[in-house]
Amino acid sequence: MHPRSFFLPSLLLGLILACGGSSSRSDAPATAPAATGLTYTDPAGTGWRLVRDASSSETRVVLNLVGPSGLMSRGAGFNLVASPAIRFGTFETGDRVTTGLPIRDSGVYFLLNTTPSDPITYEPLPTNDPLEPKLLAGGVKAGNLLTAAIFQKDRRAPAKDSGAPLCQIALELDATAGLRVGDPIPMAIVKAKYMSEDVGAFNVHPTLEMASKAHLTDMTLALGTLRAR
């Protein structure tokens, strides 16, 4: 990773927790038809929340991570555990770096170096390298636990307003789970954090200020209601 990146991969790994799954047994009457898709009702409020994106379909619910309007931030990450009746879908982005991940960048955060340079000579390098590593990570752990995170890695890039869709995840029904229309599908946020606006002044060499301010802040992330349809 470029030495001008302020966020360490270990912080991404710190979001990963062990957690168990939830039952996928059907609670609907036996007369209810078998479920073939999902429906999601957005949570109330204007804080950090996961809301349904218009690109969602009957079989794939796409959720946007949205924060409080006016709160300037540099990234966010969360762990979400769901019933084994749910699969976390992946995304085709046309980008070799991010295709196949269970998280999609919405374009709000700036994920590249603003002024890339050689790590030894500091000579300028071409901008917008398509293979430059991005601080965008997602994976599904044991217990059907999704861990997802997206962060700006360059202090020179300004913080962004959190009140826009910052990234996306996708939920898909496992048709073999035996759910019926109307069944509630349990989900829970295990952990959620964001990177605040003030991360210290940029410096080519690490400073105590950079180390002390490059930390994550706990946040409450609201979930809506997921049901089989």
Side-chain angles (χ1 to χ4, degrees), residues 1-2 4-13 15 74-77 95 97-98 101 103-105 109-113 131-138 148-155 166-167 195 214 216:
M1 184 172 293
H2 198 282
R4 296 188 177 185
S5 302
F6 72 76
F7 189 79
L8 299 177
S10 60
L11 292 179
L12 284 175
L13 296 176
L15 289 169
R74 295 176 176 273
D95 175 7
V97 176
T98 61
L101 294 177
I103 176 176
R104 180 178 182 178
D105 171 31
Y109 290 129
F110 188 78
L111 305 183
L112 303 174
N113 285 322
L131 296 181
E132 180 181 345
K134 299 178 175 69
L135 287 177
L136 174 73
I150 181 171
F151 294 94
Q152 294 185 170
K153 66 180 183 179
D154 193 334
R155 280 180 167 82
L166 303 174
C167 64
M195 178 69 76
L216 299 177

mmCIF file of all heavy atoms in Angstrom, residues 1-2 4-13 15 74-77 95 97-98 101 103-105 109-113 131-138 148-155 166-167 195 214 216:
data_model
loop_
_atom_site.group_PDB
_atom_site.id
_atom_site.type_symbol
_atom_site.label_atom_id
_atom_site.label_comp_id
_atom_site.label_asym_id
_atom_site.label_seq_id
_atom_site.Cartn_x
_atom_site.Cartn_y
_atom_site.Cartn_z
ATOM 1 N N MET A 1 0.838 -1.186 0.000
ATOM 2 C CA MET A 1 0.000 0.000 0.000
ATOM 3 C C MET A 1 0.877 1.242 0.000
ATOM 4 O O MET A 1 1.939 1.272 0.615
ATOM 5 C CB MET A 1 -0.929 0.007 1.212
ATOM 6 C CG MET A 1 -1.899 1.171 1.221
ATOM 7 S SD MET A 1 -3.111 0.984 2.540
ATOM 8 C CE MET A 1 -3.972 -0.446 1.923
ATOM 9 N N HIS A 2 0.450 2.293 -0.679
ATOM 10 C CA HIS A 2 1.233 3.510 -0.799
ATOM 11 C C HIS A 2 1.475 4.135 0.565
ATOM 12 O O HIS A 2 0.573 4.171 1.405
ATOM 13 C CB HIS A 2 0.470 4.495 -1.696
ATOM 14 C CG HIS A 2 1.340 5.568 -2.227
ATOM 15 N ND1 HIS A 2 1.717 6.647 -1.464
ATOM 16 C CD2 HIS A 2 1.908 5.738 -3.441
ATOM 17 C CE1 HIS A 2 2.471 7.431 -2.189
ATOM 18 N NE2 HIS A 2 2.604 6.909 -3.381
ATOM 19 N N ARG A 4 1.431 7.011 1.525
ATOM 20 C CA ARG A 4 0.606 8.168 1.808
ATOM 21 C C ARG A 4 -0.812 7.773 2.180
ATOM 22 O O ARG A 4 -1.672 8.614 2.342
ATOM 23 C CB ARG A 4 0.609 9.109 0.613
ATOM 24 C CG ARG A 4 2.005 9.694 0.325
ATOM 25 C CD ARG A 4 1.967 10.760 -0.738
ATOM 26 N NE ARG A 4 3.303 11.335 -0.918
ATOM 27 C CZ ARG A 4 3.560 12.356 -1.703
ATOM 28 N NH1 ARG A 4 2.596 12.943 -2.376
ATOM 29 N NH2 ARG A 4 4.794 12.819 -1.816
ATOM 30 N N SER A 5 -1.078 6.533 2.267
ATOM 31 C CA SER A 5 -2.379 6.055 2.716
ATOM 32 C C SER A 5 -2.446 6.187 4.230
ATOM 33 O O SER A 5 -1.513 5.831 4.919
ATOM 34 C CB SER A 5 -2.580 4.587 2.331
ATOM 35 O OG SER A 5 -2.464 4.432 0.944
ATOM 36 N N PHE A 6 -3.618 6.697 4.758
ATOM 37 C CA PHE A 6 -3.670 6.896 6.196
ATOM 38 C C PHE A 6 -4.364 5.784 6.940
ATOM 39 O O PHE A 6 -4.276 5.708 8.149
ATOM 40 C CB PHE A 6 -4.350 8.235 6.541
ATOM 41 C CG PHE A 6 -5.834 8.279 6.307
ATOM 42 C CD1 PHE A 6 -6.697 7.644 7.188
ATOM 43 C CD2 PHE A 6 -6.361 8.962 5.226
ATOM 44 C CE1 PHE A 6 -8.064 7.692 6.992
ATOM 45 C CE2 PHE A 6 -7.725 9.001 5.031
ATOM 46 C CZ PHE A 6 -8.571 8.364 5.922
ATOM 47 N N PHE A 7 -5.041 4.854 6.224
ATOM 48 C CA PHE A 7 -5.841 3.862 6.926
ATOM 49 C C PHE A 7 -5.208 2.495 6.782
ATOM 50 O O PHE A 7 -4.939 2.052 5.677
ATOM 51 C CB PHE A 7 -7.259 3.846 6.340
ATOM 52 C CG PHE A 7 -8.198 3.016 7.131
ATOM 53 C CD1 PHE A 7 -8.759 3.507 8.295
ATOM 54 C CD2 PHE A 7 -8.495 1.724 6.734
ATOM 55 C CE1 PHE A 7 -9.624 2.734 9.029
ATOM 56 C CE2 PHE A 7 -9.344 0.954 7.463
ATOM 57 C CZ PHE A 7 -9.919 1.468 8.619
ATOM 58 N N LEU A 8 -4.922 1.832 7.874
ATOM 59 C CA LEU A 8 -4.213 0.561 7.847
ATOM 60 C C LEU A 8 -5.169 -0.594 7.635
ATOM 61 O O LEU A 8 -6.282 -0.597 8.146
ATOM 62 C CB LEU A 8 -3.470 0.363 9.183
ATOM 63 C CG LEU A 8 -2.411 1.423 9.496
ATOM 64 C CD1 LEU A 8 -1.811 1.146 10.857
ATOM 65 C CD2 LEU A 8 -1.341 1.454 8.435
ATOM 66 N N PRO A 9 -4.756 -1.611 6.862
ATOM 67 C CA PRO A 9 -5.618 -2.771 6.654
ATOM 68 C C PRO A 9 -6.025 -3.432 7.954
ATOM 69 O O PRO A 9 -7.088 -4.050 8.030
ATOM 70 C CB PRO A 9 -4.736 -3.699 5.798
ATOM 71 C CG PRO A 9 -3.765 -2.790 5.128
ATOM 72 C CD PRO A 9 -3.504 -1.677 6.110
ATOM 73 N N SER A 10 -5.208 -3.320 8.999
ATOM 74 C CA SER A 10 -5.546 -3.947 10.273
ATOM 75 C C SER A 10 -6.825 -3.375 10.846
ATOM 76 O O SER A 10 -7.554 -4.061 11.562
ATOM 77 C CB SER A 10 -4.401 -3.764 11.272
ATOM 78 O OG SER A 10 -4.155 -2.393 11.500
ATOM 79 N N LEU A 11 -7.135 -2.118 10.534
ATOM 80 C CA LEU A 11 -8.378 -1.541 11.023
ATOM 81 C C LEU A 11 -9.578 -2.155 10.312
ATOM 82 O O LEU A 11 -10.638 -2.333 10.888
ATOM 83 C CB LEU A 11 -8.369 -0.021 10.817
ATOM 84 C CG LEU A 11 -7.362 0.749 11.678
ATOM 85 C CD1 LEU A 11 -7.436 2.241 11.378
ATOM 86 C CD2 LEU A 11 -7.614 0.509 13.154
ATOM 87 N N LEU A 12 -9.384 -2.472 9.033
ATOM 88 C CA LEU A 12 -10.444 -3.178 8.324
ATOM 89 C C LEU A 12 -10.680 -4.541 8.960
ATOM 90 O O LEU A 12 -11.816 -4.954 9.190
ATOM 91 C CB LEU A 12 -10.059 -3.367 6.847
ATOM 92 C CG LEU A 12 -10.161 -2.139 5.940
ATOM 93 C CD1 LEU A 12 -9.639 -2.493 4.564
ATOM 94 C CD2 LEU A 12 -11.578 -1.638 5.853
ATOM 95 N N LEU A 13 -9.590 -5.235 9.271
ATOM 96 C CA LEU A 13 -9.709 -6.553 9.869
ATOM 97 C C LEU A 13 -10.337 -6.469 11.246
ATOM 98 O O LEU A 13 -10.979 -7.407 11.718
ATOM 99 C CB LEU A 13 -8.335 -7.216 9.943
ATOM 100 C CG LEU A 13 -7.667 -7.501 8.596
ATOM 101 C CD1 LEU A 13 -6.276 -8.063 8.812
ATOM 102 C CD2 LEU A 13 -8.503 -8.446 7.762
ATOM 103 N N LEU A 15 -12.874 -4.958 12.092
ATOM 104 C CA LEU A 15 -14.331 -4.962 12.027
ATOM 105 C C LEU A 15 -14.893 -6.380 12.038
ATOM 106 O O LEU A 15 -16.080 -6.584 12.228
ATOM 107 C CB LEU A 15 -14.791 -4.256 10.746
ATOM 108 C CG LEU A 15 -14.589 -2.743 10.716
ATOM 109 C CD1 LEU A 15 -14.825 -2.207 9.316
ATOM 110 C CD2 LEU A 15 -15.521 -2.068 11.695
ATOM 111 N N ARG A 74 -15.083 10.102 6.234
ATOM 112 C CA ARG A 74 -14.094 9.603 5.278
ATOM 113 C C ARG A 74 -14.224 8.096 5.046
ATOM 114 O O ARG A 74 -13.356 7.491 4.422
ATOM 115 C CB ARG A 74 -12.683 9.928 5.766
ATOM 116 C CG ARG A 74 -12.390 11.423 5.813
ATOM 117 C CD ARG A 74 -11.021 11.717 6.395
ATOM 118 N NE ARG A 74 -10.715 13.134 6.343
ATOM 119 C CZ ARG A 74 -10.148 13.752 5.289
ATOM 120 N NH1 ARG A 74 -9.821 13.056 4.226
ATOM 121 N NH2 ARG A 74 -9.910 15.039 5.323
ATOM 122 N N GLY A 75 -15.283 7.511 5.536
ATOM 123 C CA GLY A 75 -15.477 6.087 5.326
ATOM 124 C C GLY A 75 -16.302 5.474 6.432
ATOM 125 O O GLY A 75 -16.573 6.107 7.460
ATOM 126 N N ALA A 76 -16.717 4.233 6.213
ATOM 127 C CA ALA A 76 -17.537 3.528 7.194
ATOM 128 C C ALA A 76 -17.408 2.034 6.962
ATOM 129 O O ALA A 76 -17.075 1.573 5.861
ATOM 130 C CB ALA A 76 -18.997 3.961 7.090
ATOM 131 N N GLY A 77 -17.687 1.272 8.013
ATOM 132 C CA GLY A 77 -17.664 -0.181 7.916
ATOM 133 C C GLY A 77 -18.639 -0.790 8.899
ATOM 134 O O GLY A 77 -18.977 -0.162 9.912
ATOM 135 N N ASP A 95 -14.574 -3.308 -12.941
ATOM 136 C CA ASP A 95 -13.285 -2.936 -12.361
ATOM 137 C C ASP A 95 -12.641 -4.193 -11.794
ATOM 138 O O ASP A 95 -13.229 -4.863 -10.942
ATOM 139 C CB ASP A 95 -13.520 -1.887 -11.271
ATOM 140 C CG ASP A 95 -12.261 -1.512 -10.504
ATOM 141 O OD1 ASP A 95 -11.166 -1.956 -10.903
ATOM 142 O OD2 ASP A 95 -12.378 -0.775 -9.505
ATOM 143 N N VAL A 97 -10.387 -4.535 -9.689
ATOM 144 C CA VAL A 97 -10.077 -4.439 -8.269
ATOM 145 C C VAL A 97 -11.299 -4.746 -7.405
ATOM 146 O O VAL A 97 -11.191 -5.358 -6.346
ATOM 147 C CB VAL A 97 -9.518 -3.041 -7.927
ATOM 148 C CG1 VAL A 97 -9.279 -2.890 -6.432
ATOM 149 C CG2 VAL A 97 -8.219 -2.793 -8.700
ATOM 150 N N THR A 98 -12.489 -4.334 -7.846
ATOM 151 C CA THR A 98 -13.678 -4.423 -6.987
ATOM 152 C C THR A 98 -14.738 -5.423 -7.443
ATOM 153 O O THR A 98 -15.661 -5.715 -6.677
ATOM 154 C CB THR A 98 -14.337 -3.044 -6.872
ATOM 155 O OG1 THR A 98 -14.738 -2.595 -8.184
ATOM 156 C CG2 THR A 98 -13.375 -2.032 -6.268
ATOM 157 N N LEU A 101 -16.902 -8.541 -5.227
ATOM 158 C CA LEU A 101 -17.039 -8.287 -3.798
ATOM 159 C C LEU A 101 -18.510 -8.135 -3.412
ATOM 160 O O LEU A 101 -19.332 -7.710 -4.231
ATOM 161 C CB LEU A 101 -16.289 -7.012 -3.406
ATOM 162 C CG LEU A 101 -14.773 -7.017 -3.540
ATOM 163 C CD1 LEU A 101 -14.206 -5.652 -3.175
ATOM 164 C CD2 LEU A 101 -14.155 -8.097 -2.671
ATOM 165 N N ILE A 103 -19.752 -5.837 -1.753
ATOM 166 C CA ILE A 103 -19.935 -4.414 -1.474
ATOM 167 C C ILE A 103 -19.605 -3.663 -2.754
ATOM 168 O O ILE A 103 -18.701 -4.051 -3.501
ATOM 169 C CB ILE A 103 -19.038 -3.942 -0.306
ATOM 170 C CG1 ILE A 103 -19.172 -2.429 -0.085
ATOM 171 C CG2 ILE A 103 -17.596 -4.333 -0.537
ATOM 172 C CD1 ILE A 103 -18.381 -1.906 1.108
ATOM 173 N N ARG A 104 -20.369 -2.596 -3.006
ATOM 174 C CA ARG A 104 -20.150 -1.800 -4.216
ATOM 175 C C ARG A 104 -19.976 -0.335 -3.856
ATOM 176 O O ARG A 104 -20.741 0.221 -3.061
ATOM 177 C CB ARG A 104 -21.339 -1.950 -5.164
ATOM 178 C CG ARG A 104 -21.204 -1.160 -6.466
ATOM 179 C CD ARG A 104 -22.399 -1.395 -7.353
ATOM 180 N NE ARG A 104 -22.276 -0.694 -8.624
ATOM 181 C CZ ARG A 104 -23.167 -0.754 -9.597
ATOM 182 N NH1 ARG A 104 -24.253 -1.503 -9.437
ATOM 183 N NH2 ARG A 104 -22.995 -0.096 -10.714
ATOM 184 N N ASP A 105 -18.972 0.294 -4.441
ATOM 185 C CA ASP A 105 -18.717 1.713 -4.248
ATOM 186 C C ASP A 105 -19.764 2.521 -4.997
ATOM 187 O O ASP A 105 -20.057 2.247 -6.163
ATOM 188 C CB ASP A 105 -17.316 2.042 -4.755
ATOM 189 C CG ASP A 105 -17.029 3.526 -4.793
ATOM 190 O OD1 ASP A 105 -17.578 4.248 -3.949
ATOM 191 O OD2 ASP A 105 -16.241 3.948 -5.665
ATOM 192 N N TYR A 109 -17.103 8.514 -1.855
ATOM 193 C CA TYR A 109 -15.759 8.605 -1.289
ATOM 194 C C TYR A 109 -14.709 8.500 -2.401
ATOM 195 O O TYR A 109 -14.862 7.735 -3.357
ATOM 196 C CB TYR A 109 -15.526 7.492 -0.273
ATOM 197 C CG TYR A 109 -16.312 7.636 1.003
ATOM 198 C CD1 TYR A 109 -17.076 6.573 1.490
ATOM 199 C CD2 TYR A 109 -16.294 8.817 1.739
ATOM 200 C CE1 TYR A 109 -17.796 6.687 2.671
ATOM 201 C CE2 TYR A 109 -17.009 8.939 2.921
ATOM 202 C CZ TYR A 109 -17.757 7.867 3.376
ATOM 203 O OH TYR A 109 -18.464 7.993 4.547
ATOM 204 N N PHE A 110 -13.618 9.259 -2.237
ATOM 205 C CA PHE A 110 -12.511 9.202 -3.188
ATOM 206 C C PHE A 110 -11.547 8.117 -2.713
ATOM 207 O O PHE A 110 -10.901 8.273 -1.670
ATOM 208 C CB PHE A 110 -11.806 10.558 -3.277
ATOM 209 C CG PHE A 110 -10.789 10.627 -4.379
ATOM 210 C CD1 PHE A 110 -11.182 10.803 -5.696
ATOM 211 C CD2 PHE A 110 -9.437 10.499 -4.110
ATOM 212 C CE1 PHE A 110 -10.246 10.858 -6.718
ATOM 213 C CE2 PHE A 110 -8.489 10.553 -5.120
ATOM 214 C CZ PHE A 110 -8.898 10.735 -6.437
ATOM 215 N N LEU A 111 -11.433 7.044 -3.479
ATOM 216 C CA LEU A 111 -10.719 5.859 -3.014
ATOM 217 C C LEU A 111 -9.272 5.759 -3.490
ATOM 218 O O LEU A 111 -8.584 4.799 -3.142
ATOM 219 C CB LEU A 111 -11.479 4.599 -3.447
ATOM 220 C CG LEU A 111 -12.951 4.513 -3.026
ATOM 221 C CD1 LEU A 111 -13.548 3.181 -3.460
ATOM 222 C CD2 LEU A 111 -13.102 4.713 -1.536
ATOM 223 N N LEU A 112 -8.806 6.729 -4.273
ATOM 224 C CA LEU A 112 -7.452 6.669 -4.821
ATOM 225 C C LEU A 112 -6.560 7.729 -4.172
ATOM 226 O O LEU A 112 -7.023 8.568 -3.400
ATOM 227 C CB LEU A 112 -7.495 6.889 -6.333
ATOM 228 C CG LEU A 112 -8.366 5.923 -7.135
ATOM 229 C CD1 LEU A 112 -8.412 6.354 -8.592
ATOM 230 C CD2 LEU A 112 -7.869 4.499 -7.002
ATOM 231 N N ASN A 113 -5.266 7.701 -4.501
ATOM 232 C CA ASN A 113 -4.356 8.770 -4.099
ATOM 233 C C ASN A 113 -4.637 10.002 -4.950
ATOM 234 O O ASN A 113 -4.830 9.895 -6.168
ATOM 235 C CB ASN A 113 -2.902 8.344 -4.284
ATOM 236 C CG ASN A 113 -2.447 7.365 -3.228
ATOM 237 O OD1 ASN A 113 -2.818 7.477 -2.070
ATOM 238 N ND2 ASN A 113 -1.636 6.396 -3.624
ATOM 239 N N LEU A 131 -5.440 -0.371 -11.480
ATOM 240 C CA LEU A 131 -5.079 -1.455 -10.571
ATOM 241 C C LEU A 131 -4.607 -0.940 -9.209
ATOM 242 O O LEU A 131 -4.130 -1.729 -8.392
ATOM 243 C CB LEU A 131 -3.980 -2.322 -11.200
ATOM 244 C CG LEU A 131 -4.379 -3.062 -12.478
ATOM 245 C CD1 LEU A 131 -3.221 -3.907 -12.984
ATOM 246 C CD2 LEU A 131 -5.607 -3.913 -12.271
ATOM 247 N N GLU A 132 -4.748 0.355 -8.966
ATOM 248 C CA GLU A 132 -4.353 0.873 -7.660
ATOM 249 C C GLU A 132 -5.246 0.276 -6.576
ATOM 250 O O GLU A 132 -6.473 0.262 -6.713
ATOM 251 C CB GLU A 132 -4.467 2.397 -7.614
ATOM 252 C CG GLU A 132 -4.053 2.972 -6.262
ATOM 253 C CD GLU A 132 -4.182 4.482 -6.192
ATOM 254 O OE1 GLU A 132 -4.314 5.115 -7.261
ATOM 255 O OE2 GLU A 132 -4.143 5.014 -5.081
ATOM 256 N N PRO A 133 -4.676 -0.235 -5.490
ATOM 257 C CA PRO A 133 -5.502 -0.784 -4.401
ATOM 258 C C PRO A 133 -6.454 0.257 -3.838
ATOM 259 O O PRO A 133 -6.125 1.441 -3.741
ATOM 260 C CB PRO A 133 -4.462 -1.208 -3.356
ATOM 261 C CG PRO A 133 -3.201 -1.400 -4.130
ATOM 262 C CD PRO A 133 -3.240 -0.373 -5.224
ATOM 263 N N LYS A 134 -7.655 -0.196 -3.499
ATOM 264 C CA LYS A 134 -8.664 0.669 -2.902
ATOM 265 C C LYS A 134 -9.012 0.135 -1.513
ATOM 266 O O LYS A 134 -8.988 -1.071 -1.289
ATOM 267 C CB LYS A 134 -9.930 0.714 -3.772
ATOM 268 C CG LYS A 134 -9.710 1.258 -5.186
ATOM 269 C CD LYS A 134 -11.008 1.210 -5.972
ATOM 270 C CE LYS A 134 -10.853 1.868 -7.341
ATOM 271 N NZ LYS A 134 -10.000 1.104 -8.256
ATOM 272 N N LEU A 135 -9.355 1.040 -0.600
ATOM 273 C CA LEU A 135 -9.765 0.621 0.734
ATOM 274 C C LEU A 135 -11.258 0.316 0.723
ATOM 275 O O LEU A 135 -12.067 0.949 1.397
ATOM 276 C CB LEU A 135 -9.410 1.681 1.772
ATOM 277 C CG LEU A 135 -7.922 1.756 2.085
ATOM 278 C CD1 LEU A 135 -7.634 2.877 3.072
ATOM 279 C CD2 LEU A 135 -7.407 0.441 2.649
ATOM 280 N N LEU A 136 -11.598 -0.658 -0.101
ATOM 281 C CA LEU A 136 -12.955 -1.184 -0.229
ATOM 282 C C LEU A 136 -12.844 -2.682 -0.011
ATOM 283 O O LEU A 136 -12.124 -3.365 -0.735
ATOM 284 C CB LEU A 136 -13.513 -0.886 -1.619
ATOM 285 C CG LEU A 136 -14.858 -1.492 -1.969
ATOM 286 C CD1 LEU A 136 -15.982 -0.767 -1.215
ATOM 287 C CD2 LEU A 136 -15.119 -1.399 -3.474
ATOM 288 N N ALA A 137 -13.500 -3.202 1.014
ATOM 289 C CA ALA A 137 -13.341 -4.614 1.356
ATOM 290 C C ALA A 137 -14.672 -5.202 1.784
ATOM 291 O O ALA A 137 -15.488 -4.530 2.423
ATOM 292 C CB ALA A 137 -12.315 -4.783 2.469
ATOM 293 N N GLY A 138 -14.891 -6.461 1.433
ATOM 294 C CA GLY A 138 -16.101 -7.155 1.856
ATOM 295 C C GLY A 138 -15.887 -8.650 1.804
ATOM 296 O O GLY A 138 -15.171 -9.157 0.938
ATOM 297 N N ALA A 148 -18.157 -5.491 5.795
ATOM 298 C CA ALA A 148 -18.012 -4.606 4.639
ATOM 299 C C ALA A 148 -17.472 -3.260 5.101
ATOM 300 O O ALA A 148 -17.863 -2.749 6.152
ATOM 301 C CB ALA A 148 -19.362 -4.418 3.948
ATOM 302 N N ALA A 149 -16.564 -2.670 4.314
ATOM 303 C CA ALA A 149 -15.973 -1.390 4.689
ATOM 304 C C ALA A 149 -15.495 -0.645 3.455
ATOM 305 O O ALA A 149 -15.068 -1.246 2.468
ATOM 306 C CB ALA A 149 -14.808 -1.610 5.653
ATOM 307 N N ILE A 150 -15.597 0.679 3.524
ATOM 308 C CA ILE A 150 -15.138 1.546 2.440
ATOM 309 C C ILE A 150 -14.527 2.802 3.067
ATOM 310 O O ILE A 150 -15.147 3.430 3.931
ATOM 311 C CB ILE A 150 -16.286 1.889 1.475
ATOM 312 C CG1 ILE A 150 -15.792 2.780 0.328
ATOM 313 C CG2 ILE A 150 -17.469 2.523 2.207
ATOM 314 C CD1 ILE A 150 -16.824 2.971 -0.771
ATOM 315 N N PHE A 151 -13.299 3.165 2.642
ATOM 316 C CA PHE A 151 -12.606 4.286 3.252
ATOM 317 C C PHE A 151 -11.771 5.050 2.224
ATOM 318 O O PHE A 151 -11.201 4.449 1.314
ATOM 319 C CB PHE A 151 -11.664 3.814 4.373
ATOM 320 C CG PHE A 151 -12.367 3.226 5.555
ATOM 321 C CD1 PHE A 151 -12.560 1.856 5.652
ATOM 322 C CD2 PHE A 151 -12.857 4.040 6.567
ATOM 323 C CE1 PHE A 151 -13.225 1.305 6.742
ATOM 324 C CE2 PHE A 151 -13.511 3.498 7.659
ATOM 325 C CZ PHE A 151 -13.700 2.132 7.748
ATOM 326 N N GLN A 152 -11.696 6.367 2.401
ATOM 327 C CA GLN A 152 -10.714 7.168 1.683
ATOM 328 C C GLN A 152 -9.353 6.917 2.325
ATOM 329 O O GLN A 152 -9.259 6.789 3.540
ATOM 330 C CB GLN A 152 -11.072 8.655 1.766
ATOM 331 C CG GLN A 152 -12.356 8.989 1.055
ATOM 332 C CD GLN A 152 -12.671 10.480 1.021
ATOM 333 O OE1 GLN A 152 -13.570 10.881 0.321
ATOM 334 N NE2 GLN A 152 -11.939 11.291 1.755
ATOM 335 N N LYS A 153 -8.312 6.846 1.496
ATOM 336 C CA LYS A 153 -6.999 6.538 2.051
ATOM 337 C C LYS A 153 -6.026 7.700 1.959
ATOM 338 O O LYS A 153 -4.887 7.582 2.386
ATOM 339 C CB LYS A 153 -6.405 5.315 1.353
ATOM 340 C CG LYS A 153 -6.074 5.509 -0.127
ATOM 341 C CD LYS A 153 -5.492 4.225 -0.697
ATOM 342 C CE LYS A 153 -5.083 4.370 -2.145
ATOM 343 N NZ LYS A 153 -4.503 3.136 -2.677
ATOM 344 N N ASP A 154 -6.452 8.839 1.435
ATOM 345 C CA ASP A 154 -5.566 9.979 1.248
ATOM 346 C C ASP A 154 -6.109 11.170 2.033
ATOM 347 O O ASP A 154 -7.211 11.644 1.776
ATOM 348 C CB ASP A 154 -5.484 10.314 -0.242
ATOM 349 C CG ASP A 154 -4.362 11.284 -0.568
ATOM 350 O OD1 ASP A 154 -3.975 12.067 0.330
ATOM 351 O OD2 ASP A 154 -3.880 11.273 -1.718
ATOM 352 N N ARG A 155 -5.337 11.658 2.977
ATOM 353 C CA ARG A 155 -5.747 12.810 3.783
ATOM 354 C C ARG A 155 -5.977 14.067 2.944
ATOM 355 O O ARG A 155 -6.664 14.988 3.359
ATOM 356 C CB ARG A 155 -4.684 13.111 4.842
ATOM 357 C CG ARG A 155 -4.746 12.222 6.069
ATOM 358 C CD ARG A 155 -3.639 12.610 7.040
ATOM 359 N NE ARG A 155 -3.838 12.015 8.346
ATOM 360 C CZ ARG A 155 -3.500 10.774 8.659
ATOM 361 N NH1 ARG A 155 -2.958 9.992 7.733
ATOM 362 N NH2 ARG A 155 -3.713 10.300 9.872
ATOM 363 N N LEU A 166 -23.473 5.772 0.293
ATOM 364 C CA LEU A 166 -22.012 5.687 0.346
ATOM 365 C C LEU A 166 -21.472 4.393 -0.253
ATOM 366 O O LEU A 166 -20.368 4.360 -0.778
ATOM 367 C CB LEU A 166 -21.552 5.819 1.801
ATOM 368 C CG LEU A 166 -22.016 7.099 2.505
ATOM 369 C CD1 LEU A 166 -21.644 7.056 3.980
ATOM 370 C CD2 LEU A 166 -21.422 8.329 1.834
ATOM 371 N N CYS A 167 -22.229 3.318 -0.129
ATOM 372 C CA CYS A 167 -21.875 2.035 -0.716
ATOM 373 C C CYS A 167 -23.126 1.157 -0.704
ATOM 374 O O CYS A 167 -24.158 1.533 -0.133
ATOM 375 C CB CYS A 167 -20.724 1.360 0.030
ATOM 376 S SG CYS A 167 -21.100 0.921 1.742
ATOM 377 N N MET A 195 -15.216 6.707 9.875
ATOM 378 C CA MET A 195 -14.014 7.528 9.982
ATOM 379 C C MET A 195 -14.430 8.990 9.948
ATOM 380 O O MET A 195 -15.088 9.426 8.997
ATOM 381 C CB MET A 195 -13.052 7.213 8.829
ATOM 382 C CG MET A 195 -11.780 8.053 8.816
ATOM 383 S SD MET A 195 -10.644 7.667 10.173
ATOM 384 C CE MET A 195 -9.947 6.113 9.597
ATOM 385 N N ALA A 214 -6.199 8.776 13.370
ATOM 386 C CA ALA A 214 -6.647 7.774 12.389
ATOM 387 C C ALA A 214 -7.329 6.621 13.110
ATOM 388 O O ALA A 214 -6.815 5.507 13.178
ATOM 389 C CB ALA A 214 -5.471 7.277 11.557
ATOM 390 N N LEU A 216 -11.431 4.879 14.283
ATOM 391 C CA LEU A 216 -12.837 4.770 13.897
ATOM 392 C C LEU A 216 -13.736 5.138 15.070
ATOM 393 O O LEU A 216 -13.407 4.891 16.227
ATOM 394 C CB LEU A 216 -13.149 3.347 13.436
ATOM 395 C CG LEU A 216 -12.366 2.858 12.218
ATOM 396 C CD1 LEU A 216 -12.707 1.405 11.917
ATOM 397 C CD2 LEU A 216 -12.653 3.734 11.008
#
